[in-house]
Amino acid sequence: MPPTPTPARTHHLLPTPARRTHAVQQGRQGPLVLLLHGFPESWYAWRHQLPALAAAGYRVAAIDVRGYGRSSKPESVEAYRMLDLVADNVAVVEALGERSAVVVGHDWGATIAAVSALTRPDVFRAVGLLGVPYTPPGGPRPSEVFAGMGGEGAGEEFYVSYFQRPGRAEAEIEPDVRGWLAGFYAALSADTMPAPGAPDPHFVGAGGTLRERFPAGVLPSWLGVRDLDVHAGEFERTGLTGALNRYRNMDRDWADLAGYAGAPITQPSLFIGGARDASLAWLADAVKAYPETLPGLCGSHVLDGCGHFVQQERPDETNRILIDWLASLPA
């Protein structure tokens, strides 16, 4: 018998509270899996997972998060609160004719996926987190935490604080989107990140820019020229403000989610991280707390020699882990 062909990708603009959410679907039957990208990416970050999960019997939809790609971009900063993004995800599931889904996210998408599962367990029956561990809501105000995260040099500022002031990061990035993205991806990828002892690319020196600390003239092995063109083309068309507005709502999220302070996610869950991703070092205590914060954890995988962009740096291994986990979930 000839092999069954992989279903083709289809693009959809779905009605959501954002106005319209762009979703790329592959596979028309089987349980729905919703894929959420991080910063600074788009649905295209899941290009390796879409055909693999579809071939394994799942209906898969990777979206452009509100503010990215072909999805709507509300003007107000406040329109990018976490609960607004959760509402978009719920609407995508409904617009695709489903009542529930497994949600999987990377980077900011992991946090959005976690909060989606936490606040809407009636819709999201399981959650997969890539790159960024789950930390329950609560604790100190985020802006105060990040303001206190200084680098090794005097006057260094953590990138999250740098992104929070409207217009500042845009002024650095938008004159050369493609070059900035190439440097950002290289800085956080295992095979091109700065050597130990080099200035940390997660911090901005006094009066400087993030890009000053990025590797120059090199692309990570997972990122072909065409892949970079796709990512850059979207941001050259839309600008970066919609994407950066996610960082500008962290204090609002902290207030909005106060009622969930310390709450665990009880649905079946999965974590995949890169051993060379700084997120694992910063959030090591969050990983240790998984028995309390993710009591439904089915697997926690740290991939040796992998950086931040887990599903793109190690697509085959990520696909295998995801498919095995999905197959283990209750129907």
Side-chain angles (χ1 to χ4, degrees):
M1 295 289 293
T4 303
T6 302
R9 288 179 190 159
T10 56
H11 291 254
H12 308 270
L13 289 173
L14 305 174
T16 63
R19 289 195 300 275
R20 298 194 302 175
T21 294
H22 174 231
V24 179
Q25 179 179 303
Q26 200 152 358
R28 294 191 175 277
Q29 297 180 339
L32 178 61
V33 181
L34 182 64
L35 303 177
L36 310 177
H37 65 82
F39 176 89
E41 299 174 294
S42 70
W43 73 268
Y44 189 76
W46 299 102
R47 62 195 176 279
H48 303 297
Q49 285 67 52
L50 283 161
L53 298 187
Y58 296 94
R59 184 184 184 194
V60 194
I63 68 168
D64 285 335
V65 173
R66 175 187 298 220
Y68 286 83
R70 303 180 205 177
S71 292
S72 294
K73 298 158 190 65
E75 290 187 11
S76 70
V77 173
E78 293 82 0
Y80 295 82
R81 301 163 100 106
M82 183 64 72
L83 291 179
D84 290 328
L85 305 183
V86 172
D88 289 343
N89 296 338
V90 171
V92 166
V93 173
E94 294 173 349
L96 291 174
E98 302 288 348
R99 298 177 62 183
S100 68
V102 176
V103 62
V104 179
H106 169 256
D107 184 73
W108 260 123
T111 304
I112 299 166
V115 177
S116 297
L118 178 66
T119 60
R120 292 302 306 267
D122 57 316
V123 176
F124 300 105
R125 62 187 183 92
V127 59
L129 310 176
L130 276 61
V132 177
Y134 174 58
T135 55
R141 186 182 295 273
S143 60
E144 296 173 358
V145 173
F146 295 125
M149 291 182 64
E152 296 181 358
E156 289 194 337
E157 183 179 13
F158 192 48
Y159 79 98
V160 175
S161 295
Y162 180 71
F163 285 167
Q164 286 179 331
R165 186 189 303 172
R168 182 163 59 160
E170 289 94 327
E172 173 185 343
I173 302 169
E174 290 180 355
D176 178 19
V177 169
R178 191 176 188 279
W180 193 92
L181 290 177
F184 184 90
Y185 297 144
L188 303 188
S189 298
D191 59 343
T192 47
M193 62 177 53
D200 191 334
H202 298 93
F203 291 87
V204 180
T209 63
L210 278 171
R211 185 172 181 171
E212 292 171 357
R213 300 185 173 193
F214 293 166
V218 60
L219 291 180
S221 58
W222 61 265
L223 184 69
V225 171
R226 180 182 177 277
D227 300 322
L228 177 60
D229 287 343
V230 172
H231 285 305
E234 293 292 73
F235 289 111
E236 287 172 342
R237 180 174 55 82
T238 66
L240 271 291
T241 296
L244 290 163
N245 279 344
R246 174 84 292 276
Y247 293 91
R248 295 162 185 165
N249 279 281
M250 298 178 76
D251 282 355
R252 295 184 183 94
D253 298 337
W254 176 79
D256 290 344
L257 296 169
Y260 293 90
I265 294 173
T266 58
Q267 298 98 305
S269 56
L270 172 74
F271 177 73
I272 312 173
R276 300 194 65 193
D277 187 347
S279 297
L280 284 188
W282 299 330
L283 297 173
D285 289 344
V287 175
K288 292 178 183 177
Y290 277 169
E292 291 76 39
T293 61
L294 293 176
L297 186 68
C298 302
S300 181
H301 305 263
V302 177
L303 308 186
D304 290 337
C306 183
H308 180 66
F309 300 98
V310 179
Q311 80 272 32
Q312 296 178 88
E313 291 188 51
R314 303 286 279 277
D316 293 341
E317 194 165 357
T318 298
N319 291 348
R320 178 184 58 78
I321 293 169
L322 286 173
I323 291 169
D324 288 348
W325 172 65
L326 290 167
S328 75
L329 297 177

